[in-house]
Amino acid sequence: MELRQIKYFVKAAELLSFSEAARVLNIAQSTLSQQVRVLEDELGIQLFDRHSHVISLTEAGRELLPLALRTLHEADSCLARMQDLGKLATGTLNIGVTYSFSPILTETLLEFAKRYPGVRLNVLYKPMAELMELLSARSLDFVLAFRPSERIEGIESHVLFDNHLGVIVRDSHPLAAKQSVGADDLRRYNLILPSKGLQARNAFDRCVAQAGLAFDIHIELNEVNILLELIRHSNMITVLSEATIYNRTGIKAIPLELPGSEMEGCVHMLRNCYRKHSALEFIRLLRDSDAVRARARSWLD
Amino acid sequence: MELRQIKYFVKAAELLSFSEAARVLNIAQSTLSQQVRVLEDELGIQLFDRHSHVISLTEAGRELLPLALRTLHEADSCLARMQDLGKLATGTLNIGVTYSFSPILTETLLEFAKRYPGVRLNVLYKPMAELMELLSARSLDFVLAFRPSERIEGIESHVLFDNHLGVIVRDSHPLAAKQSVGADDLRRYNLILPSKGLQARNAFDRCVAQAGLAFDIHIELNEVNILLELIRHSNMITVLSEATIYNRTGIKAIPLELPGSEMEGCVHMLRNCYRKHSALEFIRLLRDSDAVRARARSWLD
DNA sequence: CCACATCATAGGTGAAACCGATTTCAGAAA
DNA sequence: TTTCTGAAATCGGTTTCACCTATGATGTGG
């Protein structure tokens, strides 16, 4: 029993004519006749009464018609759902984001939600390492994070934009007017840093170690928003990627004069793995967003 | 999209292995691989992530699986229902009966209902002419009635048993002891007859006319049960087919001495038309019933 | 009675479902 | 690193069968 045969049967049953049904279905009348016969043989029961001129449904045929229709509708809904998925009319998109990437994301998040209201968005804020675990376990479609210091097996990363570490201060801060900040400037103010393991902290530690320096850290905080609130209302300073304070008011980022402070904003995806249309479309939107466009490298097409 | 492909997909999705699924389905692994690919192409969306070693469902695949299962179940229910129909586990049987045939039927009716509780019985008591109309319109599966005087186009009749007209009287009636009744005896008692058009009346009128006789009819009644009640409680007499009073108490039928009083109890069916299994089975039971067996002619196998 | 429409049948053709063998690939073992 | 292994993809060849055209059978309307 195949859907094709069911389709043929239904059309013939509706029109009560093999010839007419064959015309509508764009097949030869003989083919329809045959296929109905095959179906009847398989079901072990006659579906049509044949009189040389007229056909009519047997009891079995009358019983089958609504059931056959239901079957076709079920099959149709399979097709429709799959096509919708392709057109982003439905589905779920699981996105992992590091805290520092968050402000870059929000703009695109809103835009995507507006354009594709059928797609459910599931955004997870976590430290990079955890996100990579989840990505490997296929719980996430992609991760937005800066490139980690060491490659992770099975994951491919595409650079969205270049960024660098910056010293974050409030607008009224003495350092706010400077073009760049050196290591000595940092020592003059209370330095409050993101917790160890967070990406900006990793990068900062790395380039400090590289330069053979050492800093005495008074406060560590694993929540960037709160950290920035502290910065905004005090003369304390911190070091984050410049992108992290995108769109924030009352604070500014000043380039840090240390080698190795470059960071690459990346999309991380599982290698050799099917990419959802919605995922690719989201990344396309992200790449075209104001936050990213200025320094985007094009790898996506 | 065909049910076969959906079956393949479902099995592969359940086992998460093309090789294993192919084994279970008794097809080659390459075939499964191909057919899944064909399905994906048609749906325009990938269903599996392929890594050389492992496959896993894409989002689309996960979405499709339950829908695909529903489709297969619908198809299954088509098959099951059709097979049940063949085995008389379900369906409807529409039977037309004339009033005079009714007592012959009841026994079989109960037996059939007991044996095939899944089959709905729809029994219609009507005059023969109306029943034949309904049969031609395919509203009835078969009609139980005596053979009509003239053949009806498109309907074939099979004799179940032979019968004859009888004079019906109550047990205590003066005629009750006689072996047969002639025309003169009829004149001596109040004759109450079924209405014109009913089969026994037709037969009676025919053989009376044939014999060149004439009767003065005092009462006509179109309801046999009420007619028989009158007979049972009075000295009135009537003429019906002998079979009509089968299983009735308090009255008896005495053969009528008139030529042409033979009647043939028949099953009437539409020619060149699919016969329901349930219909054939019902007729088989009827033929084997006590009421019919004694004088059955075998035409059914 | 004949033209016509309908369904069934027969024979031939091409697409595609299928198979076995081979290749490719990633991960495990050495 | 190389080798081995198991699973999926790919490749030709075969067979099946869905399909078509042509024809036959049959009942219908003019």
Side-chain angles (χ1 to χ4, degrees):
Chain A
M1 189 166 54
E2 292 298 332
L3 288 173
R4 178 173 32 80
Q5 293 160 344
I6 298 179
K7 247 175 255 165
Y8 292 178
F9 161 73
V10 165
K11 189 54 74 182
E14 284 173 350
L15 299 176
L16 285 177
S17 157
F18 284 3
S19 316
E20 186 59 23
R23 261 189 294 280
V24 172
L25 293 165
N26 283 316
I27 57 172
Q29 168 262 317
S30 62
T31 302
L32 187 88
S33 217
Q34 275 176 23
Q35 290 299 304
V36 170
R37 171 81 58 182
V38 169
L39 182 61
E40 287 177 328
D41 286 352
E42 184 171 345
L43 295 177
I45 199 163
Q46 229 173 304
L47 300 172
F48 289 98
D49 282 339
R50 277 100 160 157
H51 318 90
S52 66
H53 220 208
V54 190
I55 58 168
S56 59
L57 283 170
T58 62
E59 182 194 24
R62 278 193 300 277
E63 288 267 340
L64 182 56
L65 185 53
L67 297 174
L69 277 171
R70 286 193 52 157
T71 307
L72 291 184
H73 289 153
E74 285 297 327
D76 256 2
S77 83
C78 288
L79 195 65
R81 181 63 78 93
M82 292 301 103
Q83 286 172 346
D84 275 359
L85 261 184
K87 278 186 286 188
L88 302 189
T90 181
T92 303
L93 192 52
N94 302 293
I95 307 175
V97 206
T98 56
Y99 303 106
S100 45
F101 225 99
S102 148
I104 298 291
L105 179 65
T106 46
E107 185 183 340
T108 304
L109 217 49
L110 296 171
E111 171 69 8
F112 187 90
K114 200 172 97 188
R115 277 204 208 184
Y116 307 109
V119 180
R120 200 175 326 154
L121 286 172
N122 184 17
V123 185
L124 198 64
Y125 291 87
K126 291 264 188 198
M128 190 269 293
E130 270 184 70
L131 291 176
M132 291 308 180
E133 288 278 312
L134 291 167
L135 183 58
S136 296
R138 295 166 190 280
S139 301
L140 294 174
D141 295 301
F142 61 89
V143 166
L144 297 174
F146 291 102
R147 186 190 291 282
S149 42
E150 49 227 2
R151 284 196 75 249
I152 297 169
E153 185 52 39
I155 286 176
E156 67 185 67
S157 308
H158 301 279
V159 177
L160 272 175
F161 59 90
D162 289 314
N163 208 233
H164 52 84
L165 286 178
V167 177
I168 315 297
V169 299
R170 63 168 164 182
D171 288 342
S172 57
H173 196 278
L175 289 178
K178 301 193 71 168
Q179 290 303 308
S180 70
V181 172
D184 339 9
D185 293 314
L186 291 182
R187 297 192 198 280
R188 266 189 268 149
Y189 298 96
N190 256 332
L191 190 56
I192 170 170
L193 284 185
S195 304
K196 276 181 193 279
L198 297 187
Q199 283 199 291
R201 175 63 179 275
N202 286 349
F204 181 70
D205 286 353
R206 193 175 59 239
C207 70
V208 161
Q210 209 171 308
L213 300 171
F215 282 90
D216 188 22
I217 309 305
H218 295 139
I219 311 181
E220 288 189 6
L221 238 171
N222 77 341
E223 228 297 319
V224 174
N225 286 307
I226 299 172
L227 193 156
L228 291 177
E229 277 308 299
L230 294 177
I231 298 298
R232 202 197 310 274
H233 297 107
S234 73
N235 266 347
M236 295 196 282
I237 64 174
T238 189
V239 175
L240 293 171
S241 67
E242 173 270 339
T244 304
I245 63 153
Y246 175 74
N247 257 352
R248 296 206 180 244
T249 56
I251 54 179
K252 59 185 302 184
I254 301 141
L256 182 63
E257 263 185 9
L258 275 177
S261 69
E262 303 83 24
M263 300 179 79
E264 289 173 304
C266 290
V267 184
H268 308 275
M269 305 179 88
L270 221 44
R271 272 219 294 158
N272 302 322
C273 168
Y274 172 67
R275 281 89 194 265
K276 294 184 187 176
H277 291 201
S278 54
L280 294 177
E281 178 64 10
F282 190 99
I283 295 167
R284 200 186 314 273
L285 279 182
L286 186 62
R287 192 194 54 178
D288 292 337
S289 69
D290 292 333
V292 171
R293 199 167 38 201
R295 281 166 287 194
R297 295 191 197 165
S298 77
W299 56 271
L300 195 83
D301 213 27
Chain B
M1 188 165 55
E2 292 298 334
L3 289 174
R4 177 173 34 80
Q5 293 160 345
I6 298 178
K7 250 174 255 168
Y8 292 177
F9 160 73
V10 165
K11 190 53 73 181
E14 285 174 350
L15 298 177
L16 285 177
S17 157
F18 284 4
S19 314
E20 186 58 24
R23 260 188 295 280
V24 173
L25 292 166
N26 282 317
I27 57 171
Q29 169 260 320
S30 60
T31 303
L32 186 82
S33 217
Q34 278 176 20
Q35 289 300 304
V36 169
R37 171 81 55 172
V38 170
L39 183 61
E40 287 177 328
D41 286 352
E42 184 172 344
L43 295 177
I45 199 160
Q46 228 172 306
L47 300 172
F48 290 97
D49 281 339
R50 278 103 161 153
H51 321 86
S52 67
H53 223 211
V54 190
I55 59 168
S56 59
L57 283 170
T58 62
E59 180 192 27
R62 278 192 300 277
E63 289 266 340
L64 182 57
L65 185 53
L67 297 175
L69 277 173
R70 286 193 52 155
T71 307
L72 290 184
H73 289 154
E74 285 297 327
D76 257 1
S77 84
C78 288
L79 196 64
R81 182 62 80 92
M82 291 301 101
Q83 286 172 347
D84 274 0
L85 260 185
K87 278 185 285 186
L88 302 189
T90 179
T92 303
L93 191 53
N94 301 293
I95 307 174
V97 206
T98 56
Y99 302 107
S100 44
F101 225 107
S102 147
I104 298 291
L105 179 64
T106 45
E107 186 182 340
T108 304
L109 217 49
L110 296 171
E111 172 69 8
F112 187 90
K114 200 173 97 190
R115 276 203 206 183
Y116 306 112
V119 180
R120 200 176 324 157
L121 286 172
N122 184 17
V123 184
L124 199 63
Y125 289 86
K126 291 265 188 196
M128 188 269 292
E130 271 186 68
L131 291 177
M132 292 307 181
E133 289 279 312
L134 290 167
L135 184 58
S136 297
R138 294 165 190 282
S139 301
L140 294 175
D141 295 300
F142 61 89
V143 166
L144 297 174
F146 291 103
R147 187 190 292 282
S149 43
E150 52 228 1
R151 285 194 76 250
I152 297 169
E153 186 52 38
I155 286 176
E156 67 184 70
S157 307
H158 301 278
V159 178
L160 271 176
F161 59 91
D162 290 314
N163 209 233
H164 53 83
L165 287 178
V167 178
I168 314 296
V169 299
R170 65 170 164 179
D171 288 340
S172 58
H173 196 278
L175 289 177
K178 302 194 70 171
Q179 290 303 310
S180 70
V181 172
D184 339 10
D185 293 313
L186 292 182
R187 296 192 199 281
R188 267 190 265 148
Y189 297 95
N190 255 335
L191 191 56
I192 170 171
L193 284 184
S195 304
K196 277 180 194 279
L198 297 187
Q199 283 200 291
R201 175 63 179 274
N202 286 349
F204 181 71
D205 284 354
R206 195 175 60 239
C207 72
V208 160
Q210 209 172 306
L213 302 170
F215 282 92
D216 188 22
I217 309 304
H218 296 139
I219 312 181
E220 288 189 8
L221 240 170
N222 76 341
E223 228 297 314
V224 174
N225 286 308
I226 299 173
L227 191 155
L228 290 176
E229 276 310 292
L230 294 177
I231 298 298
R232 201 196 311 273
H233 297 107
S234 73
N235 267 344
M236 295 196 282
I237 63 174
T238 188
V239 176
L240 293 170
S241 66
E242 172 271 340
T244 304
I245 63 154
Y246 174 74
N247 258 352
R248 294 203 183 248
T249 57
I251 53 180
K252 58 185 301 185
I254 301 141
L256 183 63
E257 264 184 12
L258 274 176
S261 70
E262 304 80 26
M263 299 179 81
E264 290 173 305
C266 291
V267 184
H268 308 275
M269 306 180 88
L270 220 45
R271 271 218 296 155
N272 302 323
C273 169
Y274 173 69
R275 280 90 193 264
K276 294 183 187 175
H277 291 200
S278 54
L280 294 179
E281 179 64 11
F282 190 99
I283 294 166
R284 201 184 312 273
L285 278 184
L286 186 62
R287 192 193 54 178
D288 292 337
S289 70
D290 292 334
V292 171
R293 198 166 40 198
R295 280 165 289 193
R297 292 189 197 168
S298 76
W299 56 271
L300 193 84
D301 211 30

